[in-house]
Amino acid sequence: MSGEPPRVRLDCAATAGGLGRVLQAATGMLADAGLIRLAGPDEPAEVVHTVGEVAPWRGPGTAHRVHTVDRVVLRRRGLAVTAGWAHRQRRFAGGAGTWLVHGRMAAQVLVGAGVVDGDRVHGLPLVAPPGPPAGKLDRSSVRDRLGIAPGVVLVVGADHGPGQSVPGWAETIGRLHRTDVVVMRHEPGGSLAFDELLLAADLFVAAGLALTACNPGAAAVAAGVPVIAATTDSAAELVRFGRTGFVVPPHPAAIAAGVRASLDGVLPRGAPRPPRQRIEALLHPVARGLLSGYHRALATRRAPAARSRP
């Protein structure tokens, strides 16, 4: 019926992880406000929103295809996409009329590489990994439990997986031979909770080799923790150079040099804030961007029929 909110179906790849949780919650918020209607897998939809590399599928009716890029995989040198990743994106999302991209860098790299033209890109903010429900985390007690003595600087970084972070960045910091520094890495599925590590951290290293939509460095910036970000990490665009951190080349020696500069007092020091743990803190800007992207897709010429599994 004309004038009704558009019916949207959201299909997230399993690899979307925390980003999928954020987008599901954001579309739920839009549905609760009556701004969209959510369609089930067997229901027709005006908009089919795919996230990440989802398998092609056939659903009832046709729809405007909206696609979210969850990760831009880069070559080892410079901000350029790998050929294999670009080919897969064109294959998985070739019928998308609108591409939703988190972060300016990711959008610029996609357009520059010819993966998608600029008229089809719609920007969304970077988001932080959603944490557990807000609790009573205490910085001192967490540091005590981690064994961090008073006066010791805790440097925290996130390893995104094999080959997805600058190799050797933590070991190179260790070779600074600073007895007042401890380095801890958070790994997906590891025993150390990210929110607790971030609360205890004095410095965060964002050393990713891909432009990720759901970026741990975004949580560090929001928590007021100084960030040393490699240029190949999405968090680099959030850092205010010399004020909230440094942006350095994606080399372990450069990361270590940024850490050393921070330890030497080049960056202003402030008390870190508790990390944003409630997913609701992420939703409002993301929901606004989604709604704008959906209306933008509906206003453009329909792309080839979206397909999905039943």
Side-chain angles (χ1 to χ4, degrees):
M1 183 182 298
S2 178
E4 288 188 350
R7 189 178 292 275
V8 178
R9 183 165 57 243
L10 181 67
D11 184 38
C12 297
T15 53
L19 177 63
R21 288 174 56 196
V22 172
L23 295 181
Q24 288 167 0
T27 53
M29 173 182 285
L30 293 173
D32 290 343
L35 299 173
I36 65 171
R37 294 173 294 161
L38 292 177
D42 297 321
E43 298 176 332
E46 287 82 38
V47 175
V48 169
H49 179 182
T50 54
V51 183
E53 294 184 353
V54 295
W57 53 288
R58 183 181 298 277
T62 59
H64 292 269
R65 177 80 175 273
V66 173
H67 180 66
T68 290
V69 178
D70 62 333
R71 179 184 300 271
V72 179
V73 180
L74 301 173
R75 299 174 187 169
R76 285 300 180 92
R77 296 184 179 181
L79 294 175
V81 299
T82 61
W85 181 88
H87 174 75
R88 291 197 307 274
Q89 287 298 308
R90 295 189 189 102
R91 179 163 59 90
F92 278 111
T98 300
W99 288 52
L100 304 181
V101 181
H102 291 255
R104 297 184 302 275
M105 285 200 305
Q108 291 167 0
V109 169
L110 282 176
V111 174
V115 177
V116 63
D117 63 79
D119 291 339
R120 297 165 66 193
V121 170
H122 182 70
L124 296 176
L126 292 180
V127 297
K136 295 182 179 179
L137 289 178
D138 177 76
R139 174 177 166 86
S140 297
S141 63
V142 172
R143 286 176 66 92
D144 288 344
R145 183 151 45 83
L146 295 174
I148 308 301
V152 171
V153 174
L154 175 59
V155 180
V156 171
D159 278 343
H160 301 278
Q164 297 180 23
S165 299
V166 176
W169 66 266
E171 292 77 9
T172 305
I173 295 172
R175 288 194 287 271
L176 293 175
H177 301 297
R178 296 283 297 251
T179 59
D180 60 340
V181 173
V182 171
V183 180
M184 291 188 175
R185 292 181 286 195
H186 176 263
E187 300 178 359
S191 59
L192 297 175
F194 176 75
D195 288 291
E196 294 190 355
L197 278 179
L198 185 57
L199 179 61
D202 298 291
L203 190 64
F204 189 90
V205 173
L209 289 174
L211 302 178
T212 54
C214 195
N215 194 290
V221 171
V225 178
V227 175
I228 310 300
T231 53
T232 51
D233 193 293
S234 299
E237 69 183 67
L238 303 177
V239 173
R240 299 166 66 187
F241 193 92
R243 299 185 65 182
T244 62
F246 294 119
V247 177
V248 300
H251 304 296
I255 291 173
V259 170
R260 183 192 296 113
S262 177
L263 296 175
D264 291 341
V266 176
L267 292 177
R269 286 291 183 93
R273 301 185 296 272
R276 293 183 180 179
Q277 296 174 293
R278 296 182 62 82
I279 193 172
E280 287 82 355
L282 309 173
L283 295 186
H284 292 284
V286 174
R288 287 194 297 269
L290 288 179
L291 186 62
S292 176
Y294 296 156
H295 284 294
R296 176 175 176 171
L298 291 166
T300 60
R301 183 173 59 86
R302 189 184 301 273
R307 300 181 184 277
S308 180
R309 59 181 176 272

